[in-house]
Amino acid sequence: MPPFGLSLLGREHEQEVLARAVTGLSEHRPAVVTVSGAAGSGQHALLRWAARLAEERGLRVLRARATPGESDLVYGAVTQLLGPDAPAGGAGRDGPLPGLAELLRTARDRPTLLTVADLQWLDPDSLRWLRALIRRL
């Protein structure tokens, strides 16, 4: 049985995988997990569940959700993850990847779970940023 509250009907295996990833983050082991499925099959519920589990364990949680209306925004999802004070459009010390170096620095001391929902609508700059983050893990 997955930890933290009620099981999501039919998604117990996915909850176990996410719980292992969150436990790994607590132990400073990075991971990338992709949650996919048909519309309405519970991906957002799984991401919310993982975020609550991570918060319960004292991890920092950063969230973003891509939408068709924001798919043309420069670093739209990155701004959701890092907050409204994130350097925009290539500004700042990180050059073309705003906030990435700082996120990686702070994650060493405070493990961080990032959830990004609806990647199919992610703006190109945020997608490039996430790919760079994954390469650096």
Side-chain angles (χ1 to χ4, degrees):
M1 169 65 96
F4 189 80
L6 297 175
S7 175
L8 297 172
L9 185 61
R11 298 308 288 257
E12 294 83 5
H13 173 73
E14 291 86 349
Q15 285 180 279
E16 289 290 343
V17 170
L18 290 168
R20 282 194 303 272
V22 168
T23 298
L25 287 174
S26 298
E27 298 167 354
H28 299 281
R29 288 190 322 260
V32 176
V33 178
T34 302
V35 178
S36 61
S41 63
Q43 299 95 316
H44 294 149
L46 282 165
L47 292 177
R48 286 190 304 271
W49 181 87
R52 285 194 317 266
L53 178 63
E55 288 170 339
E56 185 82 6
R57 294 184 179 182
L59 278 66
R60 175 174 58 169
V61 176
L62 305 176
R63 298 173 178 89
R65 184 172 185 180
T67 64
E70 294 183 353
S71 63
D72 291 334
L73 291 180
V74 175
Y75 293 114
V78 172
T79 301
Q80 289 180 51
L81 289 168
L82 302 180
D85 296 328
R93 288 191 310 209
D94 301 316
L97 300 170
L100 183 61
E102 181 64 21
L103 173 66
L104 291 168
R105 260 190 304 281
T106 59
R108 286 187 193 123
D109 296 325
R110 186 166 183 210
T112 303
L113 173 70
L114 275 72
T115 68
V116 181
D118 296 323
L119 289 176
Q120 71 273 20
W121 292 312
L122 202 61
D123 65 273
D125 295 298
S126 292
L127 181 59
R128 187 170 52 85
W129 189 94
L130 286 168
R131 286 180 175 153
L133 172 64
I134 291 167
R135 282 192 308 272
R136 286 162 175 81
L137 294 178

